[in-house]
Amino acid sequence: MKKTIQIEFIYKSIVALLGVTMLLSCENSIKEVKSITAEETRPETYGENVEFIFTDSTRIQYKAFAIVFLQIKNEEEEYDEFPKGGNVISYNKDGSQAWTIKSNYAKHIVKDQIWELRNDVVAVSDDGKTINTELMYWDQKSRKIYSDQYVRITEKDGQMLEGNSFTADDKLNQILLSQVSGEVFLEDKNIKE
């Protein structure tokens, strides 16, 4: 009888131990699943080869083209992502093209109205200046375009300037470079032939 009670006690102990182990392992798995799904951000909207038109009183201000478009909305932030890049075209008040910016990745932070453009960013102004960099920001609220990365500006006539950062107005007309180097062609009108 004592052996039967001991064996029964051992079986109950083993079953209880297995039950506790399973309970604890399930709890860890549930925690892991919750943490994984909480970190994963899924797009609210997805599109391919998308064109956006931004207007003000029926006047086109900007057009944006995306190869892939993701609209992300969660508790912390809301942004539009262009993971395969695209381009943005800005228009003057008279409808003429002011500039274009192309990049291999872009992100538009909706609340702050800031565009982050990355990876082989090329901006071309209406007067033919080309700006090349790996990172560029366009702050629509402050109407500034800027970068804190290496930048190369090539003028229409081939003159080239390089710098470690730049700031420009949102029409790319007034550009300020820092730590400038490059080639500049000067014409001396005082030289007599």
Side-chain angles (χ1 to χ4, degrees):
M1 183 119 151
K2 283 187 175 182
K3 277 189 166 185
T4 309
I5 293 174
Q6 284 181 339
I7 292 173
E8 195 176 301
F9 178 74
I10 291 172
Y11 282 134
K12 287 181 181 179
S13 297
I14 290 172
V15 169
L17 184 61
L18 286 172
V20 169
T21 304
M22 287 175 46
L23 181 63
L24 292 176
S25 68
C26 287
E27 186 177 320
N28 287 342
S29 295
I30 291 170
K31 285 181 183 177
E32 287 177 31
V33 168
K34 284 183 179 179
S35 71
I36 290 170
T37 56
E39 291 174 12
E40 186 178 328
T41 304
R42 296 177 186 209
E44 189 166 297
T45 306
Y46 171 86
E48 293 182 9
N49 299 315
V50 179
E51 177 182 0
F52 300 92
I53 299 174
F54 302 89
T55 61
D56 181 19
S57 304
T58 69
R59 184 182 68 78
I60 296 176
Q61 292 182 308
Y62 311 102
K63 285 185 182 179
F65 304 90
I67 297 167
V68 173
F69 167 73
L70 305 171
Q71 184 179 49
I72 309 293
K73 290 183 182 179
N74 58 38
E75 295 172 3
E76 292 130 24
E77 59 186 345
E78 178 182 347
Y79 61 90
D80 301 327
E81 187 173 24
F82 306 82
K84 293 190 177 181
N87 65 336
V88 179
I89 301 171
S90 173
Y91 292 92
N92 293 314
K93 289 184 179 180
D94 64 2
S96 63
Q97 186 173 303
W99 51 257
T100 63
I101 300 177
K102 294 180 183 179
S103 68
N104 291 332
Y105 172 86
K107 182 176 182 179
H108 177 235
I109 301 165
V110 175
K111 182 181 94 174
D112 299 329
Q113 293 185 0
I114 293 178
W115 286 79
E116 174 186 325
L117 305 133
R118 292 185 174 271
N119 306 331
D120 195 22
V121 183
V122 179
V124 180
S125 66
D126 63 349
D127 63 356
K129 281 190 292 283
T130 302
I131 301 171
N132 298 85
T133 187
E134 287 299 310
L135 173 65
M136 185 182 291
Y137 295 98
W138 171 29
D139 186 335
Q140 291 176 290
K141 283 183 183 177
S142 68
R143 302 180 71 164
K144 298 281 183 200
I145 297 175
Y146 58 92
S147 177
D148 60 357
Q149 304 281 317
Y150 165 81
V151 62
R152 182 178 67 237
I153 300 174
T154 307
E155 295 285 340
K156 193 174 185 177
D157 63 0
Q159 296 184 70
M160 189 183 320
L161 296 173
E162 297 174 331
N164 287 340
S165 65
F166 85 97
T167 303
D169 64 332
D170 68 345
K171 298 298 182 195
L172 293 176
N173 292 328
Q174 298 174 350
I175 300 173
L176 299 172
L177 278 170
S178 69
Q179 298 181 353
V180 181
S181 66
E183 280 184 31
V184 179
F185 308 128
L186 299 174
E187 182 179 326
D188 190 353
K189 294 183 179 183
N190 294 326
I191 297 177
K192 294 183 182 180
E193 296 180 35

